Amino acid sequence: NYEPQAVSLTSKIITEFKQQISSFDLEPSRGGCFELTVDGQLKYSKLETGEFPEESSIMDQIRQLLE
């Protein structure tokens, strides 16, 4: 069950980047799917890697994209 991790990561993203993002969608699903898409481009897929991402890695990716 990755829901607690997804909620934690969502909270961190919104807290740090709320002034820089115009929208944020969290779509519950089944089957262990976790994907991060920015401006229509897939940046991370748990279905491809088989593991939930490290929060620091996702946060770093978002920082780089917003620079």
Side-chain angles (χ1 to χ4, degrees), residues 5-27 34 36 55 58-59 62-63 66:
Q5 290 171 285
V7 171
S8 174
L9 181 55
T10 297
S11 177
K12 288 179 181 180
I13 291 170
I14 291 172
T15 298
E16 183 167 337
F17 303 112
K18 64 184 170 189
Q19 299 299 321
Q20 298 166 282
I21 57 176
S22 59
S23 67
F24 184 94
D25 296 321
L26 180 62
E27 299 177 19
F34 179 88
L36 174 66
E55 286 185 356
I58 293 295
M59 297 298 283
I62 295 171
R63 278 185 206 98
L66 294 174

Side-chain angles (χ1 to χ4, degrees), residues 27-43:
E27 299 177 19
S29 69
R30 295 178 183 253
C33 175
F34 179 88
E35 295 184 324
L36 174 66
T37 304
V38 178
D39 291 333
Q41 295 183 356
L42 183 64
K43 299 298 181 183

